[in-house]
Amino acid sequence: MRPLPPDVKGLSAKEAARRIKNATLEYAEYIGLEPDLDKDLLWLAQEGLMAALPDGWVLKSMKGLGDPVYYNKDLKKSMFEHPTDEKYRKMLKKLRKKEPQEMKIQRRLQTGQLTEEEQEKARKKEIRRKRLKLVQHWLQRIAAVSAFACIAYGVAYIGFYGWRMQAMLSRDAPIIHQLVAIIGSCEATVSVGSHLHALALDSKHDSVGNAPDDAENWVQKKGELLQLGMKWFLHAQDKGCTEGTRAVANSYYYGRGVEADASKAAELFSECAKKDDLTCAAFMGLLHYNGKGVEISPSKAIDWTVFAARRGDGYAAINLSVFLSEGRVVTRDYKEALKWAYIAQRNPQTEAMAVSYIEMMSKQNSPKEREHAKKLAEEFQFLPVSKE
């Protein structure tokens, strides 16, 4: 017999919900649902249970029987089933066609519809599933232990190298950069040294500037910062990175944290310039131009400067502009000098510096020449960094 929607008028919310749930489970079995396996489809049973009668249909009771009878006067038809029950059975069939194969097998297994062969396959599949779950469980445990081991190793690694490098650690540099540098990042190592040198060269702490009462202590502190920064640069150089070599060369050139040595600086600049480092290449051009640390060589000065300038180094472009305007190592050409000053302006690092050179070179060129030089600079295409 088809269950009817319960009368919940006057009942408490809890009691009404209980009766609706029981009626829904009865109706679920009535249309073929299996509540234990089809929990996600119980909404269909509740919707069917509460479905309203279509137009023209009324509910009656047969004399002497308690079963409900549905009657349609227009069709002169009566039936024991609700007119929409068949609709919900069809909906159930459509939904079951879309359910996973495993669910279908589980349903047939519980209802005894599987053959012995199919039951054996289902049993083996369940064993494989349990084994896979066990393997996944152990893999997760192994991964957790491995992660813990990696963290322990990292802490030990940092501790060991921190102990070895404790003389280099400083509260004046970002601690995170120092930790990353200890682990092995070349960029972070150079960054720590650069930060320390920047602090040392900060004009606010210059003994000639704003701190006269602390001048003596600051001179000492400044020397310590420069020396400590140099240690970080040397550490980066030991790692084999070009940035470290360039920073060490720069320190030797300007005498920061170490006694100035132009020959040593030139040697190191040459080393990283040959690895296509544009900053070092620009420095080599300048050194051969001035003869500082190396012999004066117009050809090498031009070769290194042009190499770096044509590949986008702003400082090399400014140097080339100066060379062309002075005419010492190359034929004087004010228009070409102006062009390279405009090219230097395209580099954010030298944009501001290039303005004064543009003003200077513009005075040596006619308006037409200035426009042409600017156009040539805008159309100039930089070469790839590598020489090859």
Side-chain angles (χ1 to χ4, degrees):
M1 181 181 72
R2 183 196 192 278
L4 294 175
D7 184 5
V8 295
K9 290 181 180 179
L11 298 178
S12 65
K14 185 176 180 180
E15 180 61 21
R18 187 186 69 80
R19 291 194 182 187
I20 291 173
K21 180 181 178 181
N22 291 338
T24 299
L25 294 175
E26 288 182 29
Y27 184 77
E29 295 179 354
Y30 178 74
I31 62 172
L33 273 168
E34 298 172 43
D36 293 336
L37 293 175
D38 298 317
K39 291 180 181 179
D40 58 329
L41 295 178
L42 287 178
W43 62 269
L44 183 66
Q46 185 170 343
E47 184 179 312
L49 175 68
M50 300 297 184
L53 283 168
D55 292 340
W57 287 90
V58 294
L59 176 63
K60 292 186 176 182
S61 295
M62 293 182 63
K63 293 179 180 180
L65 296 175
D67 294 347
V69 176
Y70 299 93
Y71 178 72
N72 190 308
K73 183 178 179 181
D74 297 331
L75 300 175
K76 294 182 180 181
K77 180 180 178 180
S78 60
M79 55 194 301
F80 288 102
E81 279 199 340
H82 192 286
T84 61
D85 287 346
E86 189 59 27
K87 167 190 168 184
Y88 286 99
R89 287 195 184 96
K90 289 180 180 179
M91 288 175 65
L92 175 60
K93 287 181 180 179
K94 287 182 179 180
L95 291 171
R96 278 185 173 165
K97 285 181 180 179
K98 299 178 181 179
E99 71 180 354
Q101 185 66 23
E102 291 183 2
M103 182 63 74
K104 292 180 180 178
I105 293 175
Q106 187 69 17
R107 188 187 306 285
R108 293 180 64 196
L109 182 62
Q110 289 198 3
T111 55
Q113 298 177 7
L114 289 179
T115 63
E116 290 184 4
E117 183 180 354
E118 289 175 329
Q119 288 182 26
E120 182 63 18
K121 286 182 178 180
R123 186 183 69 81
K124 289 181 179 179
K125 190 169 185 179
E126 180 63 16
I127 291 173
R128 287 197 299 271
R129 187 189 67 79
K130 288 182 178 179
R131 286 177 179 172
L132 179 61
K133 189 174 181 181
L134 183 63
V135 170
Q136 289 175 337
H137 169 73
W138 280 106
L139 285 176
Q140 288 173 353
R141 295 193 66 176
I142 291 171
V145 172
S146 299
F148 177 78
C150 289
I151 292 172
Y153 175 78
V155 171
Y157 186 94
I158 292 174
F160 175 70
Y161 278 93
W163 172 75
R164 285 184 59 189
M165 299 174 65
Q166 58 184 333
M168 291 171 59
L169 297 177
S170 170
R171 74 177 90 184
D172 295 304
I175 188 64
I176 187 64
H177 282 190
Q178 296 184 73
L179 291 176
V180 175
I182 290 172
I183 293 173
S185 170
C186 181
E187 292 78 5
T189 307
V190 174
S191 177
V192 172
S194 299
H195 181 84
L196 293 168
H197 274 205
L199 281 178
L201 300 173
D202 189 346
S203 61
K204 290 186 296 184
H205 300 99
D206 198 325
S207 60
V208 185
N210 303 322
D213 297 334
D214 197 35
E216 186 176 344
N217 289 337
W218 174 244
V219 170
Q220 181 181 352
K221 176 68 173 178
K222 179 177 180 179
E224 292 173 355
L225 289 173
L226 290 173
Q227 290 176 4
L228 190 55
M230 182 61 173
K231 288 182 179 179
W232 282 101
F233 293 152
L234 288 170
H235 182 58
Q237 184 187 21
D238 290 341
K239 293 180 180 181
C241 62
T242 305
E243 295 89 342
T245 303
R246 185 205 308 145
V248 172
N250 203 56
S251 296
Y252 273 112
Y253 183 79
Y254 291 107
R256 294 171 181 169
V258 68
E259 187 176 347
D261 188 337
S263 297
K264 181 66 176 177
E267 180 184 335
L268 293 172
F269 278 132
S270 177
E271 180 183 330
C272 59
K274 291 174 181 177
K275 295 179 181 178
D276 297 339
D277 185 277
L278 299 183
T279 302
C280 290
F283 249 104
M284 286 305 297
L286 193 60
L287 292 178
H288 281 293
Y289 181 76
N290 293 323
K292 193 171 183 179
V294 292
E295 79 280 8
I296 293 178
S297 175
S299 61
K300 290 182 179 179
I302 288 297
D303 287 346
W304 279 119
T305 305
V306 169
F307 170 78
R310 294 185 69 185
R311 285 160 178 79
D313 188 88
Y315 295 103
I318 286 178
N319 290 344
L320 185 54
S321 177
V322 173
F323 295 170
L324 288 163
S325 65
E326 290 184 349
R328 282 175 51 192
V329 294
V330 67
T331 304
R332 180 176 288 159
D333 188 335
Y334 289 118
K335 181 179 175 182
E336 190 71 6
L338 180 59
K339 182 190 85 170
W340 282 105
Y342 275 122
I343 291 174
Q345 194 178 30
R346 290 170 56 180
N347 189 316
Q349 291 182 322
T350 53
E351 183 179 2
M353 186 188 302
V355 173
S356 60
Y357 286 91
I358 291 172
E359 292 178 357
M360 189 188 310
M361 302 305 168
S362 294
K363 296 176 182 178
Q364 306 297 329
N365 288 274
S366 65
K368 186 176 181 180
E369 288 174 329
R370 289 197 291 269
E371 286 298 321
H372 189 224
K374 187 175 182 181
K375 182 179 180 182
L376 290 174
E378 291 171 351
E379 295 174 350
F380 184 82
Q381 297 292 321
F382 293 114
L383 298 177
V385 173
S386 177
K387 293 179 183 177
E388 298 179 359

